[in-house]
Amino acid sequence: MRNNIIAIVAFSFVAVGALWGIGNLINPAPAEPINVEGILLIAGSGAFNETNPDIEAKANVPKKLVILNKDVVTHDLIIHDDSGGILNINTAPLRPEQHFNAAVLGYHSGSYEYYCSYHPEMRGRIVVS
Ligand SMILES: [Cu+2]
């Protein structure tokens, strides 16, 4: 009886160890974390980040873009360019405190517009070089 318990405990350790080893083989620890540069645009009354700043990007190097609505009214953020020079974005309506994750990804150098479709004064440029 006692030997059986010892055997069960020993087998459990072996089984858990084997599963742990197999798990590490299947899912090796990730290498260096990838640092992704990002931008936070906060929609407030009349402007993104108060000044509708230019966003600089290098062609074919994506940048994380988070749009956060900290206003009391609905906003969105649109990038719409038919030339194919930049990845288009449409956050759909963002209500207060909602956010949207996107990427700025320019394919060709140039200047592209971002804007809020509700408020024409909320517009800035993405400059891809
Ligand atoms: Cu707006």
Side-chain angles (χ1 to χ4, degrees):
M1 181 65 185
R2 194 172 177 201
N3 282 346
N4 283 348
I5 291 171
I6 291 171
I8 289 169
V9 169
F11 176 77
S12 298
F13 274 102
V14 169
V16 168
L19 288 173
W20 181 81
I22 290 167
N24 278 350
L25 285 177
I26 294 171
N27 294 314
E32 299 267 309
I34 300 168
N35 282 324
V36 179
E37 201 181 335
I39 303 146
L40 173 62
L41 281 182
I42 297 175
S45 130
F48 292 100
N49 292 6
E50 299 184 348
T51 60
N52 296 315
D54 283 357
I55 294 170
E56 295 188 356
K58 293 222 180 307
N60 298 309
V61 180
K63 269 186 179 178
K64 184 175 182 178
L65 174 64
V66 180
I67 301 105
L68 171 63
N69 185 0
K70 290 301 272 182
D71 203 357
V72 295
V73 298
T74 298
H75 295 282
D76 63 8
L77 184 134
I78 312 284
I79 298 172
H80 183 90
D81 181 80
D82 287 328
S83 75
I86 192 167
L87 183 69
N88 287 336
I89 296 174
N90 184 336
T91 65
L94 295 175
R95 290 187 211 167
E97 300 301 325
Q98 287 187 316
H99 74 279
F100 189 90
N101 294 320
V104 172
L105 178 53
Y107 302 113
H108 304 297
S109 57
S111 178
Y112 307 92
E113 191 173 54
Y114 68 86
Y115 62 92
C116 171
S117 68
Y118 295 89
H119 307 99
E121 72 278 15
M122 295 177 69
R123 58 182 62 236
R125 316 250 11 137
I126 296 169
V127 180
V128 177
S129 58

